[in-house]
Amino acid sequence: PRLPVFTTEEGIKQIKQNLDKIIDWKNLNELIPKFYSVSKMKKTGIAGIFSASLELVKERIISISQKKSFDKLMVKKYFNEK
């Protein structure tokens, strides 16, 4: 049997629905829906939310930060600082 997949499109919806909660830096993994954060589904949850975050950075909706390699990915709502 095939397991469900958390798609980029679903990830984009998830992040956009939570924009009001990511005014300050928040761990990207906290945005993964609970269903996809369990062990069997964790990889698809991470992949979907990560690819969605890259798309939203490109659209200037969120910003991503990582202090060092292999550290947590942090996201926050994009603010134009001009």
Side-chain angles (χ1 to χ4, degrees), residues 4 7 12 30 39 50 52 61 67 73 78 80:
T7 65
I12 289 171
E30 293 177 32
S39 60
F50 179 69
I61 294 174
K67 294 191 183 220
L73 284 173
Y78 177 81
N80 189 356

Side-chain angles (χ1 to χ4, degrees), residues 9-24:
E9 291 78 18
E10 290 171 317
I12 289 171
K13 286 181 194 172
Q14 177 71 12
I15 293 172
K16 284 184 174 181
Q17 288 173 353
N18 288 290
L19 277 179
D20 59 327
K21 297 178 185 174
I22 56 174
I23 301 299
D24 291 322

